Structure formats: C-alpha cells, structure tokens
Amino acid sequence: MNAAVGTVIAVLLSLVSAAGYALAAVAQSRLAAASPVRDGGGALRALLTHGQWWSAVGLNAAGALAHVAALHYGPLTLVQPLGALTLVAALPLGAYRARRRVTRTEWRGALWTLGGLVGLVAVTGPAAPGEALSLRESLVVAAATALLIGTLASGRPHGHESRAGGRGRNGLGHATASGIASGVASALTQTLTAALARELPGGAPAWWQTALLALLISGFATGGLLLSQAAYRGGLAAPLAVVNLSNPAAAAVIGVALLGETFRAGAWGWLVAAAASLVAARGVVLLTKDGPTAEPTPTGPTAEAAPTGPITQSVPAVSAPALTTPAATGPALTTPATTGPGAIDQVLGRPTAPGLAPSQAEPLPAPVAG
C-alpha cells in the first residue's frame, strides 16, 4: 500500500476513534448527572441495567478498535496526538446535548490541555519497539497500580463539600485513577501480544500465565471504565482532560522505568516533557473553573426570607402590662394583670368564696409590729 494512502487511512481512523471516545464520554457524563449518587454494589447494578451505560461501553470499544486499526496503517507519532482530539470533540458535543454554548474558558482550557498532551506524546516513544514486560514485572506493576488506584479513589467528600468543590476534586482523583488503569491495561496488552507471539521475556509462557495476563487486562480495563463513570459526576471537561493526560503518563512511566525507553532528543526531550506537563496542567485548571459550583441558595416557597423591617409582635394588646419576670420564690407569673377589685386575689392565687366580693374573700394579714 502507498505510504500516503496509509497515512490518510490512519488519520481518518484516528478521527473516528476520537469521535467514538468523545461520544462515550458525553454519554457517561449525562448518565452520571441523571443518576443518584450511590457507591458500591447498588451503583454497579444500576449501571448494568441502564441502556445508556451499554451504549457508552460500545462506543468506547469502537473507539479502541479504530485506534488499533489506525496504528496498523500509521505510525504512533501520528496516531497518538490525534487521539487527543477526544477532548476537543467532547466539549461541543456535551454542550449541544446540554443545550448551551461552550464557554471561552472551556475552549482555552481544551487548547492548553491539547497542546500539552501533544507535546508529551511527541517526545515519548519506545527505545526498542516490540519490547514487553516479563511476567514478574507485570505482576509488580499490577500490584503497585492497584494500590495507587485504591489511594486515589478512596477520598470521599462529606457534607456540603460533596455537592460542590469537594465533589469536583474527588472526580479528578477518580479521573486520574481511570487514566492510570487504562495506561497499565495498554502496557499489559502489549505484554499479552508478545506472549501470544511467544516473545515474552523469560521464555514461552504457560497457558495459565497467558490467562492471568488476560484477567489482569480485563480487570484494569473494566476498572478504568467504572472509575471514569464516577469521575464524570463532577462534570465532563476537566475529568476527561485528566483521563487523557494520566493515560499516556502512566504508560510513559512504565516504559522509562522498566522497558528502557526514554524521551526523544535526550535532555531536550525531558525539558519539553516538563514544559508540556505544565501547559497541560494549566489547561486542566482552566477546565476546572467551569466545573460544578456550589448549589444556589433556595429561592422557592421553602426559603425563609430574612426580616428587613422592624419586628412586630402578634401578641394581643391587654389593658395592663403582662408580668413575665419570674418570681423569686414561686412560679413565673405569665397571666396578664387585670384591673378591678379582684386583681390582688388573682395575683396572690387566693380562692374567692362564692357570693362574696373578691376583695372580701379573705382578709389580708395584719402587719406584724417590729
């Protein structure tokens, strides 16, 4: 096949892959916004019975297949940067589904993140193509990754923080964990491919070793998908940007630490990678600014308006001031005072004899001479 034709096919397949991933992200974010916030088995069962979830799974699978096909026709240096277009495609799609416009801050954040991601991918590449992890290295990577994912996904905001900023920050933690899980799944997939080709370091693998690698890949791939679903509770743009950044970052760490890979252009490559990381971080910060905000103060019928004028009492007027000061040696006198001949008898609590005037019911005691 002509090289130019292969490049065109790779570009088209990369665009299809980016569109599939973007549509899947939009579907997941809408599902997260419409579903109640639940954790554990209840949330998983709710996802498995929702048709929109399976649509997102199918779109993610289609995007992955198109990405693999694009790598067959074009080089990694071309296909990987085009995969970053997922974020650019997801923003207008998500805004269209939400019936709003993409804000200027969102576009700026997307462009900053895209520039940083392209810079990272441009300077990373295998030093020895086709090299893969050994089985022992795969198990060590899987264990360390599981521990890291558990740490990132364990933070759960409480109280009112879960409704606003805390919820968004926790979403970025889930997004980071999702990207790392997907990146490790990609590295293990490369190892499984080498194992099936009988090129696994350390000799030909046994059947149970191949099955173990397949099980680890399935676990990390599924975990990455579920973690991204949890991340989209805090919005779409910022979690999607973090997922797209942490995925190649995790793969780059594995390549540099275990496979002998390095950044292109030597020391300059490291500087470019550091600068690209800062650029991408700037983009994520901008996207986070347009993320979820605190819930507005209630303004409906249940809201209590603060008094703005003088406070008035609804106590009916009486002819004399009420006695509300507690007595020194008895119960508080809260009965309004009255006027007339029986006022003293009512205050002192003396019974009034029938047929007698109140003031004649019982004579007052005579004063005792001092």
Side-chain angles (χ1 to χ4, degrees):
M1 180 182 294
N2 190 358
V5 176
T7 301
V8 171
I9 294 177
V11 170
L12 293 177
L13 288 172
S14 298
L15 295 178
V16 171
S17 175
Y21 283 132
L23 289 171
V26 172
Q28 286 184 264
S29 64
R30 289 180 60 83
L31 180 59
S35 303
V37 179
R38 291 185 294 183
D39 295 313
L44 181 58
R45 286 191 296 270
L47 285 177
L48 294 179
T49 57
H50 206 291
Q52 191 172 4
W53 162 254
W54 291 109
S55 298
V57 172
L59 288 169
N60 274 306
L65 291 176
H67 180 75
V68 172
L71 288 175
H72 177 72
Y73 290 100
L76 182 67
T77 54
L78 173 66
V79 174
Q80 283 296 108
L82 290 176
L85 294 176
T86 299
L87 178 61
V88 179
L91 279 180
L93 288 174
Y96 175 77
R97 295 295 299 271
R99 296 182 179 179
R100 66 174 182 87
R101 293 183 178 180
V102 181
T103 65
R104 183 177 300 179
T105 303
E106 286 178 327
W107 279 125
R108 289 173 55 202
L111 292 178
W112 277 81
T113 306
L114 181 62
L117 185 56
V118 171
L120 281 174
V121 174
V123 296
T124 57
E131 189 172 350
L133 299 172
S134 65
L135 181 62
R136 178 178 299 179
E137 290 172 339
S138 300
L139 295 178
V140 171
V141 168
T145 303
L147 181 61
L148 180 58
I149 289 175
T151 302
L152 291 171
S154 62
R156 296 181 181 177
H158 299 280
H160 67 280
E161 293 183 356
S162 62
R163 304 176 185 174
R167 186 173 175 181
R169 289 189 296 270
N170 199 42
L172 294 184
H174 283 96
T176 305
S178 173
I180 292 175
S182 300
V184 172
S186 299
L188 294 177
T189 301
Q190 183 184 19
T191 300
L192 179 61
T193 303
L196 294 176
R198 303 296 182 181
E199 297 176 0
L200 187 68
W207 67 268
W208 64 268
Q209 294 175 333
T210 304
L212 179 59
L213 287 174
L215 183 62
L216 290 175
I217 293 170
S218 300
F220 281 113
T222 304
L225 192 59
L226 293 175
L227 286 167
S228 65
Q229 179 64 45
Y232 291 136
R233 295 175 184 173
L236 172 64
L240 182 59
V242 173
V243 168
N244 282 289
L245 285 171
S246 55
N247 188 327
V253 169
I254 294 175
V256 172
L258 298 176
L259 299 179
E261 297 179 2
T262 184
F263 291 109
R264 294 191 180 97
W268 286 104
W270 287 91
L271 293 177
V272 171
S277 300
L278 294 177
V279 170
R282 170 63 176 168
V284 173
V285 170
L286 290 175
L287 291 173
T288 307
K289 288 183 178 180
D290 275 3
T293 56
E295 292 184 354
T297 305
T299 57
T302 57
E304 297 182 0
T308 56
I311 301 176
T312 58
Q313 297 180 352
S314 59
V315 180
V318 294
S319 57
L323 300 176
T324 58
T325 304
T329 57
L333 300 177
T334 58
T335 305
T338 58
T339 57
I344 298 178
D345 298 321
Q346 293 181 13
V347 172
L348 296 179
R350 296 184 302 183
T352 302
L356 296 178
S359 59
Q360 298 176 357
E362 183 178 349
L364 295 174
V368 180

